[in-house]
């Protein structure tokens, strides 16, 4: 969809894509209605008004707060998205294409990719040369030393590993006492490993399971990624997305490892509100673009030369490219999810697709095609764990941006201020976990990071 010049082919693929699981035996429509009906029934039995209230009972947000957040994001992104569309049309016209005034669903990704290339042309292959795994891990260690006064040291050999590329690390506090351990399994192995990246606990901090009856058992995590492997003596050279992924998963691991909570049931990542789980992970991602952190990491793996200044600027600019449009497309499904689990009547006259179309009127520049049945493949809410919780992605992003802005306010170049703010973050967010409710976030930082704040005010 991004690279095929054949417009008819793009249209064919698009139409096939939005009508998956919609015909014959594979039509999910009836199953969706049945699921929604049963969920509503379950909620009523438990004395809730609707399923969203039940699903969110243990979350940070309420239905009203989640809807309010989505609406604020929508209105803050709208003008920028309108502008994105104008830019796209103008660009398509400048490229001599006939359809510039009638861009359809199957043209958007294609032309925005051409526009991105022309505006922020960064060669991924060249960029990789600046991000070698050893440098990235060193940069990450330096960052968490500054922020949280912890020391990460290699502890290979201390614990058995399942693959020779797996590393084992020890995390120490500022007095040199071990606090936690983690495995890191970095490389892609298509036939051995699932795709994606994740952090899981091996064991959690616990006083009940203490070995000597005095000191709590220390947490151990494992971080698994699927990045480009090393080749011979050449280290693993990473894309910026792979760097972000390591920081992201390490953020989850921090919450697991830096806990001071000795009660196993609420230590680490346990007992965290579902919509706040991604806070530390997305928070850590922000640091990938922090000048000192990024420039400290980005050294050419052969020459040791720093990342050129203009490339750094392009990386920053590329982060906010079409931000309004991407926020709108993310909140479409979050809004439909909430609607279906609050006001929707499974036995009523309106169909789930009507709800989707109604939501899209306020959210999409081009209305969905009449045959669009994307809901039939919305497995996050119908087959996964995200029913009435899809908004959680955005909610956590707001939290993490808000947390990061505390560091921006303190001064990103002031290491003493960073240290103080880091201590605060550690004591309030990382160390207490399920033991304490997080506070109410502000939206401003997320909008500012996406270049949308002017539109909001
Ligand atoms: Zn995550």
């Amino acid at each position: 969809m991004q690279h095929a010049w054949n417009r008819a082919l793009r249209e064919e693929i698009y139409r096939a894509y939005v009508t998956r699981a919609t015909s014959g035996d594979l039509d999910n429509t009836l199953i969706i209605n049945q699921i929604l009906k049963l969920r509503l029934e379950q909620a009523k039995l438990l004395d809730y008004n609707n399923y969203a209230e039940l699903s969110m009972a243990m979350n940070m947000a309420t239905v009203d707060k989640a809807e309010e957040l989505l609406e604020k994001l929508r209105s803050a992104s709208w003008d920028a998205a309108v502008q994105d569309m104008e830019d796209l049309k103008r660009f398509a016209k400048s490229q001599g294409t006939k359809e510039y005034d009638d861009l359809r669903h199957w043209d958007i990704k294609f032309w925005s990719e051409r526009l991105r290339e022309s505006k922020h042309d960064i060669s991924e292959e060249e960029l990789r040369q600046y991000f070698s795994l050893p440098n990235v891990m060193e940069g990450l260690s330096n960052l968490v030393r500054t922020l949280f006064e912890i020391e990460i040291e290699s502890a290979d050999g201390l614990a058995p590993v399942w693959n020779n590329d797996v590393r084992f690390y020890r995390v120490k506090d500022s007095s040199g006492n071990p606090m936690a351990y983690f495995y890191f399994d970095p490389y892609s192995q298509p036939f051995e490993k699932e795709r994606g990246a994740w952090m899981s606990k091996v064991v959690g901090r616990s006083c009940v399971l203490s070995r000597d009856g005095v000191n709590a058992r220390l947490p151990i995590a494992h971080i698994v990624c699927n990045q480009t492997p090393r080749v011979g003596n050449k280290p693993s050279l990473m894309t910026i997305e792979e760097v972000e992924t390591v920081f992201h998963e390490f953020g989850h691991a921090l919450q697991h490892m830096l806990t001071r909570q000795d009660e196993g049931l609420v230590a680490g990542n346990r007992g965290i509100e579902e919509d706040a789980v991604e806070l530390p992970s997305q928070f850590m991602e922000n640091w990938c673009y922090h000048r000192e952190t990024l420039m400290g990491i980005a050294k050419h793996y052969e020459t040791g030369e720093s990342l050129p200044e203009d490339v750094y600027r392009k990386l920053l600019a590329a982060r906010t490219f079409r931000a309004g449009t991407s926020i709108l497309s993310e909140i479409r499904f979050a809004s439909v999810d909430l609607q279906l689990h609050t006001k929707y009547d499974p036995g009523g006259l309106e169909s789930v697709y009507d709800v989707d179309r109604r939501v899209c009127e306020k959210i999409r520049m081009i209305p969905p095609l009449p045959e669009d049945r994307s809901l039939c493949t919305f497995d996050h809410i119908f087959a996964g764990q995200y029913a009435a919780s899809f908004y959680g992605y955005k909610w956590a992003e707001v939290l993490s941006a808000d947390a990061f802005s505390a560091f921006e306010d303190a001064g990103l170049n002031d290491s003493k201020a960073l240290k103080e703010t880091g201590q605060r973050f550690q004591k309030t967010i990382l160390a207490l976990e399920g033991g304490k409710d997080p506070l109410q976030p502000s939206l401003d930082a997320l909008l500012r990071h996406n270049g949308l704040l002017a539109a909001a005010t």
Side-chain angles (χ1 to χ4, degrees):
M1 297 306 283
Q2 284 182 317
H3 296 286
W5 283 87
N6 182 340
R7 194 182 188 210
L9 176 64
R10 294 201 307 265
E11 175 174 354
E12 192 184 336
I13 293 174
Y14 184 86
R15 287 186 189 274
Y17 191 76
V18 297
T19 52
R20 285 171 304 150
T22 64
S23 60
D25 283 357
L26 298 178
D27 187 352
N28 275 343
T29 309
L30 289 177
I31 300 175
I32 287 176
N33 271 313
Q34 180 73 354
I35 291 173
L36 290 173
K37 201 173 139 251
L38 290 172
R39 283 180 181 162
L40 183 60
E41 220 174 288
Q42 183 192 12
K44 294 257 157 101
L45 282 173
L46 295 167
D47 213 19
Y48 290 95
N49 291 315
N50 53 55
Y51 185 78
E53 283 184 8
L54 166 63
S55 157
M56 289 161 76
M58 300 290 282
N59 283 5
M60 198 181 154
T62 57
V63 173
D64 289 347
K65 290 269 176 228
E67 280 175 345
E68 189 187 318
L69 171 92
L70 294 176
E71 174 53 27
K72 278 186 186 164
L73 281 173
R74 189 200 67 81
S75 63
S77 310
W78 182 262
D79 290 348
V82 170
Q83 187 58 47
D84 287 345
M85 192 53 130
E86 287 309 308
D87 293 348
L88 207 58
K89 285 182 181 167
R90 197 173 320 118
F91 177 75
K93 187 178 183 185
S94 76
Q95 302 299 299
T97 178
K98 292 192 298 289
E99 65 262 17
Y100 71 88
D101 219 14
D102 181 31
L103 292 180
R104 305 294 305 273
H105 302 84
W106 41 89
D107 298 320
I108 306 299
K109 278 196 173 161
F110 178 79
W111 284 110
S112 45
E113 184 59 16
R114 302 287 81 71
L115 176 61
R116 193 193 62 78
E117 282 171 358
S118 82
K119 268 177 99 167
H120 308 292
D121 190 19
I122 310 174
S123 152
E124 204 169 76
E125 287 314 304
E126 264 168 53
L127 203 56
R128 274 176 191 278
Q129 322 272 321
Y130 292 90
F131 294 102
S132 71
L133 178 61
N135 280 355
V136 171
M137 290 309 283
E138 199 188 311
L140 191 55
S141 301
N142 292 338
L143 176 66
V144 295
R145 184 185 303 120
T146 307
L147 295 182
F148 307 126
E149 293 192 299
I150 55 172
E151 207 56 56
I152 296 176
E153 59 181 32
S154 123
D156 293 316
L158 192 66
V161 290
W162 53 93
N163 177 303
N164 287 338
D165 287 319
V166 176
R167 303 282 316 272
F168 193 62
Y169 294 90
R170 183 190 290 115
V171 180
K172 287 175 160 179
D173 66 16
S174 54
S175 334
N177 300 314
M179 295 178 80
Y181 300 86
F182 70 96
Y183 294 91
F184 180 37
D185 181 355
Y187 306 138
S188 154
Q189 288 167 285
F191 300 104
E192 304 271 331
K193 229 178 182 179
E194 264 183 68
R195 296 197 306 175
W198 57 94
M199 186 297 294
S200 288
K201 68 167 191 183
V202 179
V203 296
R205 188 177 171 99
S206 163
C207 57
V208 176
L209 297 170
S210 156
R211 274 203 181 171
D212 54 10
V214 182
N215 299 300
R217 178 184 69 182
L218 296 182
I220 305 177
H222 67 258
I223 297 173
V224 182
C225 294
N226 263 293
Q227 67 190 56
T228 321
R230 65 187 167 84
V231 184
N233 287 333
K234 195 163 140 183
S236 166
L237 299 177
M238 301 162 69
T239 63
I240 186 80
E241 285 80 21
E242 288 172 344
V243 177
E244 281 178 52
T245 302
V246 170
F247 274 61
H248 179 105
E249 299 308 332
F250 194 76
H252 284 305
L254 279 176
Q255 184 152 52
H256 178 61
M257 299 190 299
L258 299 194
T259 186
R260 289 295 187 182
Q261 184 62 258
D262 287 341
E263 298 303 335
L265 289 173
V266 286
N269 303 48
R270 298 193 67 179
I272 303 268
E273 290 84 346
E274 232 170 72
D275 47 5
V277 161
E278 295 294 332
L279 195 176
S281 51
Q282 301 190 6
F283 166 79
M284 284 302 287
E285 277 183 46
N286 282 297
W287 292 98
C288 293
Y289 294 88
H290 169 232
R291 171 176 264 286
E292 221 170 288
T293 305
L294 184 98
M295 287 312 214
I297 290 173
K299 303 264 189 270
H300 194 281
Y301 83 103
E302 280 176 330
T303 63
E305 147 205 17
S306 297
L307 187 74
E309 181 64 29
D310 65 312
V311 181
Y312 174 65
R313 279 172 198 283
K314 279 185 190 171
L315 271 180
L316 287 190
R319 260 190 113 188
T320 56
F321 178 61
R322 291 175 61 80
T325 303
S326 21
I327 291 182
L328 288 188
S329 72
E330 287 163 353
I331 62 181
R332 168 189 179 185
F333 288 108
S335 301
V336 176
D337 173 34
L338 281 181
Q339 290 269 327
L340 291 180
H341 291 106
T342 50
K343 299 175 191 82
Y344 180 67
D345 170 11
L349 291 174
E350 209 184 18
S351 76
V352 289
Y353 312 117
D354 295 335
V355 175
D356 186 24
R357 241 179 300 281
R358 184 157 49 73
V359 166
C360 285
E361 277 169 21
K362 286 173 72 188
I363 290 179
R364 302 201 68 182
M365 299 287 123
I366 316 177
L369 295 179
E371 73 260 39
D372 188 318
R373 297 280 185 274
S374 302
L375 287 177
C376 283
T377 46
F378 192 6
D379 50 3
H380 268 82
I381 69 163
F382 295 119
Q385 309 283 317
Y386 285 85
S389 287
F390 202 71
Y391 75 92
Y393 282 104
K394 277 284 154 229
W395 185 270
E397 218 177 306
V398 170
L399 295 177
S400 62
D402 192 34
F404 188 71
S405 76
F407 290 82
E408 292 174 317
D409 293 345
L412 292 179
N413 301 317
D414 178 345
S415 62
K416 187 167 164 280
L418 286 186
K419 207 162 253 165
E420 282 164 13
T421 317
Q423 290 303 312
R424 196 149 61 89
F425 184 80
Q426 184 176 352
K427 284 190 188 118
T428 51
I429 291 174
L430 293 178
L432 292 166
E433 293 87 30
K436 192 175 187 293
D437 287 344
L439 302 168
Q440 206 56 265
S442 139
L443 211 64
D444 291 1
L446 180 72
L447 296 177
R448 183 157 46 76
H449 295 157
N450 280 283
L452 295 172
L453 193 58
T457 53

